[in-house]
């Protein structure tokens, strides 16, 4: 992300805050957005989910002075009680448009063979506002998540940059950089560019 001058959203679980604080410190110090990752363990219900969210929020707020309202369940089907817990606490449940993580790719060594399984040739580019989910701790090769992110940018973002008739050739690189990854919250809470869908007719 630093290489392409972009920021992302990292959803952090209570376990990760306890076991990998130095990594989370580095993520936060590089200006990335932090969210709350919750785990749907056996025996989890509405009350325990609320408590889990509150605990993680408190840790993030105390350590990084961030009042995050973004919640994600990284794995599995989201139960209704989890949605209810997130909503009743005034937080936002974040999903994804594209999930990069596939079990069969765990031991792959390069992104080239992975991309067709995730975003095939029929999809020319990732869409504006898409949420692309990547796990940084999943692959056997710990560099693969970053390589996939860069490969998606190259093959499914940069390919839609264009020059208008009045653009100079020297501006091409700057034009490409207009298409970039952005944190979820920064996008969601920028009211200038967000709208309800379907659009309310009197607001067209």
């Amino acid at each position: 992300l630093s290489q392409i001058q972009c920021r992302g959203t990292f959803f952090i679980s209570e376990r990760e805050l306890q076991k990998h604080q130095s990594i989370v410190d580095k993520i936060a110090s590089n200006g990335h957005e932090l969210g709350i990752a919750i785990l749907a363990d056996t025996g989890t219900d509405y009350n325990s989910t609320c408590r889990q969210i509150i605990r993680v929020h408190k840790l993030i707020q105390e350590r990084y002075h961030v009042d995050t309202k973004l919640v994600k369940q990284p794995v599995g089907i989201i139960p209704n009680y989890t949605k209810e817990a997130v909503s009743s606490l005034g937080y936002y449940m974040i999903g994804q448009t594209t999930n990069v993580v596939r079990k069969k790719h765990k031991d792959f060594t390069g992104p080239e063979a992975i991309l067709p399984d995730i975003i095939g040739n029929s999809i020319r580019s990732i869409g504006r506002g898409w949420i692309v989910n990547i796990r940084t701790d999943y692959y056997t090769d710990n560099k693969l998540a970053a390589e996939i992110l860069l490969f998606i940018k190259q093959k499914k973002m940069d390919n839609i940059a264009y020059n208008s008739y009045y653009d100079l050739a020297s501006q091409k690189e700057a034009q490409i950089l207009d298409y970039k990854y952005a944190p979820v919250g920064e996008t969601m809470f920028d009211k200038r560019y967000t709208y309800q869908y379907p659009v309310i007719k009197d607001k067209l």
Side-chain angles (χ1 to χ4, degrees):
L1 285 165
S2 297
Q3 183 179 321
I4 58 176
Q5 299 178 349
C6 291
R7 293 164 57 236
T9 304
F10 288 78
F11 290 91
I12 314 295
S13 70
E14 186 173 21
R15 204 172 296 158
E16 289 164 335
L17 283 164
Q18 292 165 348
K19 291 187 175 181
H20 305 292
Q21 185 176 341
S22 62
I23 295 173
V24 182
D25 289 350
K26 189 173 181 182
I27 289 166
S29 66
N30 277 282
H32 297 293
E33 189 173 69
L34 299 179
I36 299 165
I38 54 170
L39 307 176
D41 295 327
T42 304
T44 306
D45 58 14
Y46 170 82
N47 289 320
S48 61
T49 302
C50 285
R51 289 194 295 271
Q52 186 183 168
I53 292 168
I54 291 166
R55 284 195 308 271
V56 178
H57 178 270
K58 186 178 178 183
L59 282 169
I60 290 174
Q61 193 166 36
E62 287 174 353
R63 289 183 189 172
Y64 307 108
H65 311 290
V66 173
D67 182 21
T68 183
K69 297 294 182 187
L70 307 174
V71 178
K72 185 171 183 57
Q73 180 183 300
V75 180
I77 296 168
I78 302 169
N80 287 332
Y81 64 76
T82 296
K83 296 174 186 175
E84 185 183 353
V86 172
S87 176
S88 66
L89 290 170
Y91 290 54
Y92 298 90
M93 192 84 210
I94 305 301
Q96 65 252 342
T97 315
T98 297
N99 185 14
V100 170
V101 182
R102 300 281 192 280
K103 187 176 182 180
K104 64 180 178 178
H105 298 149
K106 184 171 178 62
D107 296 319
F108 277 42
T109 55
E112 296 82 4
I114 293 174
L115 190 62
D117 283 347
I118 300 163
I119 309 172
N121 291 331
S122 60
I123 299 174
R124 292 281 300 155
S125 66
I126 61 174
R128 184 178 189 178
W130 279 24
I131 298 174
V132 179
N133 181 60
I134 298 176
R135 276 184 59 184
T136 57
D137 64 345
Y138 182 73
Y139 302 104
T140 304
D141 178 354
N142 61 14
K143 298 187 298 295
L144 188 54
E147 289 171 357
I148 291 170
L149 179 137
L150 292 172
F151 199 68
I152 290 173
K153 182 179 187 302
Q154 178 191 355
K155 297 295 184 183
K156 298 296 182 179
M157 288 177 70
D158 292 350
N159 67 329
I160 58 172
Y162 63 91
N163 275 349
S164 300
Y165 72 92
Y166 51 80
D167 288 337
L168 301 173
S170 62
Q171 294 176 334
K172 181 67 176 176
E173 186 63 26
Q175 186 91 21
I176 288 173
L177 291 176
D178 285 343
Y179 299 90
K180 63 182 180 181
Y181 294 114
V184 174
E186 182 180 295
T187 306
M188 261 182 66
F189 301 126
D190 189 341
K191 299 303 181 186
R192 297 171 300 168
Y193 301 113
T194 54
Y195 53 88
Q196 178 180 325
Y197 185 84
V199 179
I200 298 167
K201 287 185 179 179
D202 63 5
K203 292 189 176 181
L204 279 174

